[in-house]
Amino acid sequence: MSDRLEFPDGVVRVTPLVGVPDSQSISLSTLLDAQHLLSALLTSFIINTDWLLSHIQPHTPLTLIANQAQSTSSLHQNISWCKPEFVVPNMQIMHTKLMFLVYPRHVRFVVLTGNLVEEEWTVVQNSVFIQDFPLDYTRVFSANEFSTSLALSLHDLSVPYSVVARLNHVDFTRARARIVTTVPTGGKRVHMNMESYGMLRLAHVVDQFSTQKAEEWEPDARLYCIGSSLGKLDTNWLRDFYMCAHGWDPQSLALNARASIVPENMIDIAVAFPTHSDVATNVYGKPAMQYVMAKQNVYENPKFPKSCMFRVQP
């Protein structure tokens, strides 16, 4: 195995679709590089354990975190299941999708939009961010914004300290991304540091790169959002998201003040979603259909912002 990092500056790839050649796609087998993989931390909303383990050598130590695990039986004995802390077990979910892959001389950090199930790597296309970092157990590298955010994110997922401690030996100097996680499963740190999560964290990250002063702020970007499930959107939530995406923290303003700064006609967000016909006639049939979710009563609610919707072209 070469010491040269394959993705030293971070790249975005897509998962492959059966029968569709794409030079920008990357398969799970290629991503994991099981022949050289020493250990791995994998998190996902759903993990099909049997399918996942078919891509990993039996002796490789794994730490797995999932909201739902699908498994029959497996001969792989080197698995540690990590269960995040749930303050309200029947309400909260674990939705983080990331990989921390350890090799002899480097680690691979991966953020995914899809689950670790076969269909989301073959008939439903997802995005994958990948960056490789040098690993040297003889050195302890100084922490930076990226490594600190990653360590706190793993802590929120109740990842064992033995795994988190490896970050000390990774050189994250060339980290290109900023980590924004959803509100985690629980713990005192959540309630004391809500600005560290979700939209408020997004506002902080964007503000670091913004050249506009708060008193001069003007909306100047169109946001494109795409996903396989559609929730209860409304104008107020979209406005807050739009402001955060410009580096503004809306929580200090009353709703009417927010509406004055960003009227409804200035909320420039395009939410892409396939039509019922597109889903019903897709070439992959039911295996792909099961991962596209939208409730009719949600869409038909008078408060649902239909004007922001646009069709995903198949």
Side-chain angles (χ1 to χ4, degrees):
M1 183 181 186
S2 171
D3 290 340
R4 184 181 64 85
L5 302 180
E6 187 173 0
F7 305 110
D9 296 311
V11 296
V12 176
R13 293 286 187 261
V14 293
T15 57
L17 293 174
V18 173
V20 181
D22 187 344
S23 62
Q24 295 302 306
S25 68
I26 185 167
S27 67
L28 183 62
S29 296
T30 301
L31 182 65
L32 293 176
D33 187 14
Q35 180 182 355
H36 301 104
L37 184 64
L38 299 182
S39 66
L41 165 68
L42 306 168
T43 81
S44 183
F45 178 61
I46 306 173
I47 297 179
N48 185 318
T49 314
D50 298 322
W51 174 77
L52 172 64
L53 295 180
S54 70
H55 295 79
I56 298 175
Q57 296 187 2
H59 64 273
T60 306
L62 303 177
T63 301
L64 302 182
I65 305 176
N67 197 72
Q68 302 173 26
Q70 303 171 347
S71 178
T72 52
S73 61
S74 174
L75 298 178
H76 197 295
Q77 300 296 316
N78 212 349
I79 299 177
S80 296
W81 282 98
C82 181
K83 186 174 178 59
E85 174 191 3
F86 287 108
V87 175
V88 188
N90 294 327
M91 293 289 291
Q92 295 172 299
I93 62 174
M94 202 299 297
H95 212 266
T96 300
K97 304 177 184 71
L98 63 80
M99 297 180 180
F100 187 72
L101 310 174
V102 181
Y103 302 92
R105 300 294 299 275
H106 76 282
V107 300
R108 176 164 291 173
F109 174 74
V110 182
V111 176
L112 314 105
T113 62
N115 291 293
L116 291 173
V117 297
E118 183 175 7
E119 294 85 357
E120 298 210 37
W121 288 80
T122 53
V123 297
V124 177
Q125 194 163 68
N126 284 279
S127 300
V128 186
F129 172 81
I130 316 161
Q131 187 166 6
D132 295 338
F133 300 98
L135 172 67
D136 186 346
Y137 284 112
T138 68
R139 299 180 60 185
V140 175
F141 294 93
S142 298
N144 60 12
E145 202 277 345
F146 179 86
S147 63
T148 300
S149 297
L150 178 57
L152 291 174
S153 299
L154 298 180
H155 171 74
D156 287 330
L157 294 173
S158 303
V159 172
Y161 177 75
S162 59
V163 176
V164 180
R166 292 176 185 165
L167 301 183
N168 292 322
H169 305 290
V170 180
D171 182 2
F172 289 110
T173 304
R174 295 179 67 172
R176 298 292 298 272
R178 294 292 184 271
I179 296 176
V180 179
T181 64
T182 53
V183 178
T185 53
K188 293 181 179 179
R189 200 176 84 82
V190 178
H191 306 292
M192 297 171 61
N193 300 277
M194 284 303 295
E195 71 280 358
S196 299
Y197 308 105
M199 291 196 295
L200 298 185
R201 165 68 176 164
L202 175 64
H204 174 71
V205 168
V206 174
D207 183 58
Q208 291 180 319
F209 299 97
S210 176
T211 59
Q212 291 184 345
K213 297 180 180 179
E215 60 271 16
E216 300 173 348
W217 181 81
E218 292 183 3
D220 60 357
R222 186 174 210 206
L223 306 184
Y224 290 91
C225 306
I226 184 169
S228 60
S229 59
L230 192 63
K232 295 181 180 180
L233 301 179
D234 62 36
T235 300
N236 288 332
W237 190 89
L238 288 177
R239 178 182 291 110
D240 286 354
F241 185 71
Y242 193 63
M243 294 179 71
C244 288
H246 281 79
W248 254 47
D249 178 355
Q251 67 176 351
S252 61
L253 302 170
L255 287 177
N256 58 347
R258 301 176 203 178
S260 175
I261 296 172
V262 186
E264 185 172 350
N265 65 340
M266 292 182 66
I267 304 174
D268 197 0
I269 297 181
V271 180
F273 203 75
T275 66
H276 182 275
S277 174
D278 291 336
V279 175
T281 59
N282 86 87
V283 297
Y284 299 113
K286 290 184 178 180
M289 292 170 61
Q290 64 180 318
Y291 292 100
V292 181
M293 306 175 193
K295 294 183 177 180
Q296 183 175 351
N297 64 324
V298 169
Y299 182 75
E300 293 179 348
N301 187 305
K303 294 184 178 181
F304 188 89
K306 295 182 180 180
S307 62
C308 72
M309 302 295 298
F310 77 97
R311 179 188 178 195
V312 176
Q313 295 296 322

